[in-house]
Structures are given as C-alpha cells and as structure tokens.
Amino acid sequence: MIPTEAVGIALDDTRLLADVCGVNDYNLRVFERLLGVSVFVRGNEIILESTDACIRDLFTSMISQLLEAIGEGMPASPDLITAIHASLTPEGVPSSQAPGERSCADRFREAAIQVPGAFSKVYPRTANQALYLRGLSTHDISIAIGPAGTGKTYLAVAWALREILSKARRKLVLTRPVVEAGESLGFLPGDLGQKISPYLRPLYDAMEALVPFDVVRRLEDNHTIEIAPLAYMRGRSLNNCVVILDEAQNTTKEQMKMFLTRLGEGSVAVITGDVTQIDLPRKSESGLVHALSVLSGIDEIFVCRMDGRDVVRNPLVRKIIEAYESEF
C-alpha cells in the first residue's frame, strides 16, 4: 500500500519499467538527486515520497515525458531525465508546461538524425547536443567546443553520414592535425592513409558504431569517404562535401585559416575540439582558440559550447572532468 504522502505511477509493461529505472535503478537515483526526495519501486509502481504537491506534479510530468521519449525510441538516459527536469523547472522553479509548448522529448525528437541503414536513430541526449544538431543543419560552418565525451565527434559523424548516404552531399572528408598527445610515437609504417589512420580512429569508431562495417568500407572504396591529412589540404577546393576537422585545438593559426578557406560551393564544415587539451608546442597558439576570437562577429558561423554537464560517457567521466576543471 502506498503511503498517503507518496505518489505512485503504475507501469504494467515490465520492460518499460526497467527502461525507466535504468541499470541497477540508476535512473531512480537521478530522480532523487533532482527532486530531493526518495524514489523507489514497489511491484510495478514507481513511487515518490513527498507531501509537496508541486514536487509530486513535477515528478508525474517528468515520468510522462520520459515515457513519451521512450515510446519514440529514445534511450532513457540520465542525461535525458536531467534535460526533461530542466525543461520543466526554469531557473530551478517547478512549473507546469504552458499549453502548446513543446516538451523536452519533442525538441529532442525534432533534432534526431535518421542515418540510412544505421543500427538505430541518433537522438541528442542533452539540450546542448540538440542545439548542436540544429546548428549543423542551418549553418555552413559549425564549431563544437567541449570536453571529452560530450558527443562532438559522434554527432558530427552521424550528421555527415546522413548527408552522404541520402545523397545530399557527394563526399565526406575527414581530417585532423597530426599531433601526438604528449609523447613521440616515432616512425609509422605504411602508406599515407595507414600512417594517419591511428589519428583518425575516433572518427572511424563513430562511423562503425552507427552503420555496419561493410558500409564504411564500401564508402571508402568508392571514395565517398576520404582521409585528407590537414597538412595536404592546401590548394584544394572542396565542393559539395561535408568536411570534418577533428581535434581542431591542435591546429596552428595558419592551418585553421587554410582549412576554413578550402570550402567550395555546396560544402559544409564541422570543426570539433577541446581547448583544455592542446598538444601544440608551448609557443604555438591554438588555431581554434584564435579562430573563435577572430570569427566571433560572423553570424553565419555557428558555435556550440559544451561543458561537463553534456558528458554522455560513463558518469565517472563527468566527475573526472569537473574535478580537473576545479583544479585549473
């Protein structure tokens, strides 16, 4: 029997109940942290203990939007729960959703990407990720800045694959500066593609997480995907392409200017980087940091700034990033 100071929401579908609760009931701990009250499962009911009618209504609205999101195919992640809570509590004050106002699930669904032949639909998991995806669709040059694990590269690759697999663009060009992270790897064997491949591994990991390996191989074989070392891009004009510059914090000012001026007709560029992890020699200024200052007055360039709250890897990664941010 539910206590009089509690509210319970019954879910007859055990799989749906498991999705809402999360692995080892982790999502319930997220509800408790956000609402400041006890949340637990009894039988097929999710129960919140609170005498505060406002908190009870907020909990009911959060569960309703979460169920709506799950029904649309979105994973019931802690980040989605946090985003739903934020959308219902402007400035931390619980409020009811105004008539006709889009829910958090609606905004995430509208920003989602359907990559042809992909394993599943790609949904943003934080409000900033949703903003990032919308920016990619509306700007010729997009810059995403943020710490590791915020989805900068993954979402850029997902959007780019949708563009080339749907024939909206003819080619995906992947590039990054070849800068080692604090150590010297020495001579790397093989041809140019094999030499730079280890540096582009994060981009390949993202592609292989989205579509079958044979699709990636086919796109490479017919040159729809091209590996282009940044140092070899001078003099080129890239037309009708999606160009992704990853790890852009390790470009020099000259390299960044050269890259930005490669865009030809019908092309778009996505630049990703983490300005807290610059591996350039100490006397060199990051081309990404310099570009953010120089290009700040150009409205047509979209900049998405992410932080530790957008980390979607293991929750421990978020805590590690926050610890380092507080240290420096």
Side-chain angles (χ1 to χ4, degrees):
M1 184 172 178
I2 302 175
T4 56
E5 70 276 8
V7 58
I9 299 175
L11 299 175
D12 295 329
D13 188 330
T14 56
R15 180 176 296 180
L16 191 60
L17 181 63
D19 287 341
V20 172
C21 294
V23 178
N24 297 324
D25 290 343
Y26 184 82
N27 286 350
L28 299 186
R29 307 290 78 80
V30 176
F31 277 108
E32 289 181 335
R33 175 174 58 81
L34 294 172
L35 300 174
V37 296
S38 178
V39 180
F40 58 92
V41 172
R42 181 177 296 166
N44 68 329
E45 290 185 301
I46 302 175
I47 299 170
L48 172 137
E49 285 190 342
S50 175
T51 57
D52 188 326
C54 191
I55 295 296
R56 291 154 66 114
D57 290 344
L58 176 58
F59 173 68
T60 302
S61 297
M62 289 178 68
I63 292 292
S64 175
Q65 288 203 22
L66 183 60
L67 292 175
E68 178 187 347
I70 293 172
E72 294 288 340
M74 291 184 236
S77 66
D79 303 285
L80 176 58
I81 295 169
T82 302
I84 290 173
H85 176 265
S87 72
L88 293 170
T89 56
E91 298 180 0
V93 180
S95 65
S96 60
Q97 187 173 320
E101 184 181 349
R102 293 179 304 158
S103 69
C104 179
D106 288 334
R107 293 195 295 272
F108 279 28
R109 183 175 59 250
E110 289 171 2
I113 296 174
Q114 180 62 66
V115 180
F119 297 118
S120 61
K121 203 168 186 178
V122 178
Y123 290 95
R125 294 174 61 180
T126 71
N128 274 337
Q129 287 190 353
L131 180 66
Y132 179 31
L133 289 176
R134 287 195 293 271
L136 292 175
S137 298
T138 55
H139 294 74
D140 288 343
I141 297 178
S142 300
I143 303 175
I145 307 161
T150 51
K152 306 182 301 295
T153 299
Y154 181 81
L155 294 176
V157 169
W159 188 84
L161 283 176
R162 185 189 67 176
E163 291 293 290
I164 62 171
L165 289 172
S166 64
K167 309 298 184 183
R169 300 288 197 291
R170 70 177 181 88
K171 179 181 283 191
L172 167 58
V173 179
L174 305 173
T175 187
R176 60 160 287 177
V178 180
V179 177
E180 295 160 348
E183 57 183 317
S184 177
L185 300 179
F187 173 78
L188 292 175
D191 59 23
L192 182 60
Q194 292 170 324
K195 289 178 188 293
I196 196 173
S197 182
Y199 295 94
L200 294 171
R201 191 66 246 174
L203 295 164
Y204 278 102
D205 288 343
M207 288 190 289
E208 291 169 13
L210 289 161
V211 296
F213 176 76
D214 62 314
V215 173
V216 178
R217 179 55 59 86
R218 173 173 55 82
L219 293 172
E220 284 188 301
D221 289 343
N222 62 23
H223 303 292
T224 303
I225 292 178
E226 177 189 347
I227 299 171
L230 187 59
Y232 286 70
M233 290 188 67
R234 187 174 298 279
R236 297 188 63 181
S237 180
L238 301 172
N239 297 312
N240 198 24
C241 297
V242 179
V243 191
I244 297 178
L245 171 58
D246 197 34
E247 300 291 339
Q249 75 275 5
N250 289 328
T251 60
T252 64
K253 292 189 293 184
E254 294 77 14
Q255 286 176 325
M256 180 60 76
K257 179 183 177 183
M258 180 269 292
F259 172 80
L260 290 169
T261 55
R262 297 309 94 203
L263 286 188
E265 185 176 354
S267 287
V268 295
V270 186
I271 300 167
T272 67
D274 178 0
V275 295
T276 68
Q277 294 193 27
I278 298 173
D279 300 311
L280 291 168
R282 294 190 180 276
K283 291 184 179 180
S284 300
E285 182 181 359
S286 167
L288 177 58
V289 174
H290 179 256
L292 290 172
S293 173
V294 171
L295 306 177
S296 60
I298 302 178
D299 294 335
E300 291 83 0
I301 296 178
F302 171 73
V303 178
C304 181
R305 299 179 184 272
M306 300 183 184
D307 55 34
R309 293 169 295 181
D310 298 299
V311 173
V312 293
R313 289 180 184 166
N314 187 307
L316 184 58
V317 174
R318 179 178 298 178
K319 293 182 180 179
I320 291 170
I321 289 171
E322 290 172 349
Y324 272 95
E325 287 177 348
S326 64
E327 176 69 18
F328 298 103

